[in-house]
């Protein structure tokens, strides 16, 4: 989660990066959501849900379709 949060914050501070950078963050974010969805108790969602939501919200307006990809993955969370 820290990798994605820092990547988003870096982009917001220093400007647009490149597609490969965003693809890497989307991949990690998708792995996080997979882990949250595999948890049968929703404990991971309870623990990280606010950070997961805040991170995807911060991506609005970032290029390369980054926000759209993050929002699609976020919509897959089974606990929402």
């Amino acid at each position: 989660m820290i990798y994605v949060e820092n990547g988003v914050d870096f982009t917001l501070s220093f400007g647009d990066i490149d597609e490969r950078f965003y693809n890497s963050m989307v991949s990690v974010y998708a792995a996080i959501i997979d882990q949250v969805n595999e948890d049968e108790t929703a404990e991971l969602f309870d623990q990280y849900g606010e950070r997961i939501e805040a991170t995807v919200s911060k991506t609005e307006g970032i290029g390369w379709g980054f926000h759209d990809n993050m929002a699609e993955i976020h919509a897959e969370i089974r606990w929402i």
Side-chain angles (χ1 to χ4, degrees), residues 67-78:
H67 175 71
D68 294 336
N69 290 333
M70 295 284 281
E72 285 176 22
I73 293 166
H74 183 263
E76 295 174 6
I77 297 174
R78 74 183 221 179

Side-chain angles (χ1 to χ4, degrees), residues 2-42:
I2 291 171
Y3 173 74
V4 179
E5 290 169 326
N6 286 338
V8 171
D9 288 342
F10 186 88
T11 300
L12 293 173
S13 295
F14 300 105
D16 203 15
I17 314 285
D18 63 15
E19 186 176 16
R20 188 176 72 166
F21 175 79
Y22 297 121
N23 287 342
S24 175
M25 287 199 296
V26 167
S27 176
V28 172
Y29 189 76
I32 293 165
I33 300 309
D34 287 344
Q35 287 291 314
V36 167
N37 284 337
E38 289 175 9
D39 180 17
E40 295 299 325
T41 65

